[in-house]
Amino acid sequence: MNAVKHPIKRSFVFFLVPDFTMIAFATALDPLRSANRMLGYEAYSWRLASIDGKPVRASNGVECAVNTSLEEERRKMAGPDRPNMAIVCSGVNVERYQNKSAFAWLREEYNRGVAVGGLCTGAHILAAAGLLSNKRCAIHWENLPGFSEAFPKANVFADLFEIDQNIYTCAGGTAALDMMLKLIGDDFDESLVNRVCEQVLTDRVRSPTDRQRLPLRARLGVQNSKVLTIIELMEANLSEPLSLIEIADHVDLSRRQIERLFRTEMGRSPARYYLEIRLDRARHLLIQSSMPVVEVAVACGFVSASHFSKCYRELYARSPQQERVDRKQLLAA
């Protein structure tokens, strides 16, 4: 007599962190609902958790009620209600989130064989919990510089999502949809994924390595392939800037030709453009990390803190120190 095949069932806990990104949360949750509808049974179940069981406010101001607290989740670990996956939902200001109780809970879940995940900036919390050493992970491009400096042992990529064994991370936004569709496809088949895609009006599951950001051509409105290649070189070499001679050798142009191209296409010299993208990275590090200003300067290719401060003030009309003070005051308001 053939054994009855039990249908796949998977349960999730979505752990909401203050200022979590609603779009990432919604695009992770709704594919599960749609899959259940297509299948005709509850293959996927979920509950929402917060530190204390109280509602959590998203970054868009909407308050979201939850089902459990972390204390309740700990009690569920040893019983039939233990989840198959615990997913951290976070967003802006994640760098200031330091809750040792949450970190310990995530480690406990992982050590008991529960998959863990992070949406948007959730990788930051997983890394702070000690779960991403030597693991591939993805995080929103805006947070990547600060994350790389804070957690050098994590293998972070500007991908849409990363799955490394039992750890799932995505860059947020609609990338959460792609990651969850990949999970549904692994559980069932491509036919179900296609039906869910039709329901949510998307035409495909993007590859994990698809771009987070628009291609440079679209983002900058630049068509010249040589200029785009030069900018890509600059963006890949921020801590140790290339000289214009080195750049010229890479693209087989003269220095004068590069100067002329940048004046025409970008309205500024290549040196000025290079400086601006280094300062933009520095601004992200000042806002997202607690790195000393001198270390931020070095990470962005400046030979001294005084030179860095001078350049920063000229571009942003305030010093790096004032940038950090202003940021702290904004968060405290």
Side-chain angles (χ1 to χ4, degrees), residues 135-195:
K135 298 289 187 182
R136 291 178 64 92
C137 61
I139 199 167
H140 192 279
W141 63 266
E142 197 173 37
N143 298 83
L144 198 149
F147 180 91
S148 299
E149 296 292 340
F151 305 106
K153 291 184 179 179
N155 299 323
V156 64
F157 296 89
D159 294 341
L160 292 183
F161 65 91
E162 283 288 343
I163 301 172
D164 191 333
Q165 297 180 319
N166 225 20
I167 295 179
Y168 293 67
T169 51
C170 78
T174 57
L177 172 65
D178 299 288
M179 186 174 78
M180 299 309 277
L181 288 173
K182 171 68 166 64
L183 185 149
I184 291 168
D186 289 344
D187 283 348
F188 292 95
D189 54 30
E190 189 176 344
S191 171
L192 177 60
V193 171
N194 290 340
R195 291 163 69 196

Side-chain angles (χ1 to χ4, degrees), residues 13 23 25 51 56 77 101 105 137 139 159 182 195 206 217 239 273-274 280 311 319 322:
V13 170
I23 188 172
F25 168 60
I51 283 289
V56 183
M77 272 191 211
S101 178
W105 168 70
C137 61
I139 199 167
D159 294 341
K182 171 68 166 64
R195 291 163 69 196
R206 291 175 295 177
R217 191 179 301 273
S239 59
Y273 187 83
Y274 208 168
D280 180 65
C311 295
S319 69
Q322 189 60 46

Side-chain angles (χ1 to χ4, degrees), residues 248-294:
D249 288 342
H250 269 95
V251 296
D252 198 26
L253 292 174
S254 69
R255 292 178 59 183
R256 184 171 294 180
Q257 285 174 312
I258 293 174
E259 291 276 0
R260 190 163 52 243
L261 274 174
F262 265 74
R263 293 286 182 189
T264 301
E265 297 285 345
M266 307 305 297
R268 56 183 74 88
S269 71
R272 180 64 188 181
Y273 187 83
Y274 208 168
L275 175 64
E276 287 177 3
I277 60 176
R278 287 161 56 209
L279 288 170
D280 180 65
R281 178 176 182 178
R283 185 168 180 271
H284 282 296
L285 290 175
L286 289 168
I287 290 171
Q288 297 166 9
S289 77
S290 58
M291 290 172 64
V293 170
V294 66

Side-chain angles (χ1 to χ4, degrees), residues 14-29 56-62 88-94 119-122 140 142-143 170-174 176:
F14 289 91
F15 175 59
L16 306 186
V17 174
D19 289 328
F20 72 94
T21 303
M22 184 65 77
I23 188 172
F25 168 60
T27 54
L29 183 58
V56 183
R57 187 183 296 271
S59 58
N60 61 6
V62 173
V88 178
C89 308
S90 58
V92 296
N93 306 325
V94 69
L119 307 181
C120 192
T121 59
H140 192 279
E142 197 173 37
N143 298 83
C170 78
T174 57

Side-chain angles (χ1 to χ4, degrees), residues 234 237-243 246-247 274 278 298 300-302:
M234 291 176 174
N237 295 274
L238 298 180
S239 59
E240 296 183 11
L242 301 173
S243 69
E246 289 173 311
I247 291 172
Y274 208 168
R278 287 161 56 209
V298 171
C300 297
F302 292 90

